[in-house]
Amino acid sequence: MKFVPAIALTALALVTQPAMARPLQCAPYAREHSAIDLHGNAATWWGQAEGSYARGNTPATGSVLVFKATGAMPVGHVAVVSKIVDDRHVVLNHANWSRPGMIEKSAMAEDVSAKGDWSSVRVWYAPTQSLGLRASPTFGFIYAPGAEAGTLATETTKPSDTFLTAFADLPKQG
């Protein structure tokens, strides 16, 4: 039996190992699941959208919610609105929020801004099976071409019956 140097074995192991896929990030996920074709870090999408896509502070199905960069989210975050529940609640589909690379569908987001303008939200956090404790600042929504902001109730201060019904049948995230 011939002696094979450890360096050669290590090199062989590296060559024969399958390629490891990188965790899916939020920006490629949002681009693939919306009609918004922007690139780069999530926090740059708001500025990039100017002049190409309509933007605003009212959710619309298919729009992309753009989160500002913070210490906890240094490159921001983007998520696709899949459903409007009421004036303070939407359902998001996104990646890389609760765990690196994790895709979450039907994640609730709640507008916790003082003015009801979606400038601050709390988002479902799978590890605790609840809304996250931290409020996250947002720029607002980028609308898909031809989309219109949803019709929302204006006097809701607690989760509506519509909200409770909408989230009663959602699958648990994990």
Side-chain angles (χ1 to χ4, degrees):
M1 178 185 245
K2 290 186 176 182
F3 174 72
V4 179
I7 290 177
L9 288 175
T10 302
L12 182 60
L14 291 174
V15 171
T16 60
Q17 294 281 332
M20 296 297 290
R22 290 181 42 197
L24 184 61
Q25 300 295 312
C26 63
Y29 179 87
R31 186 172 45 255
E32 185 177 322
H33 292 90
S34 72
I36 309 298
D37 187 22
L38 297 173
H39 297 262
N41 289 339
T44 68
W45 280 35
W46 187 255
Q48 289 184 57
E50 187 173 13
S52 297
Y53 297 95
R55 304 178 303 173
N57 294 93
T58 305
T61 302
S63 64
V64 173
L65 179 58
V66 183
F67 293 71
K68 295 180 178 181
T70 66
M73 296 185 300
V75 296
H77 185 71
V78 287
V80 180
V81 176
S82 66
K83 183 178 184 178
I84 299 168
V85 178
D86 60 27
D87 64 334
R88 293 281 187 152
H89 300 92
V90 296
V91 178
L92 300 175
N93 293 339
H94 59 164
N96 210 36
W97 182 266
S98 292
R99 186 171 65 238
M102 179 180 179
I103 295 171
E104 293 178 272
K105 295 186 177 181
S106 303
M108 194 251 294
E110 179 179 44
D111 174 15
V112 294
S113 64
K115 295 180 182 179
D117 61 4
W118 288 88
S119 60
S120 183
V121 299
R122 288 179 39 210
V123 178
W124 184 260
Y125 186 62
T128 63
Q129 292 291 296
S130 64
L131 281 175
L133 298 177
R134 178 184 69 238
S136 299
T138 70
F139 289 106
F141 299 91
I142 300 173
Y143 304 114
E148 295 182 22
T151 305
L152 302 173
T154 57
E155 293 296 322
T156 305
T157 57
K158 62 179 186 166
S160 66
D161 290 339
T162 305
F163 167 81
L164 296 173
T165 301
F167 285 99
D169 63 344
L170 291 180
K172 291 221 178 226
Q173 299 288 322

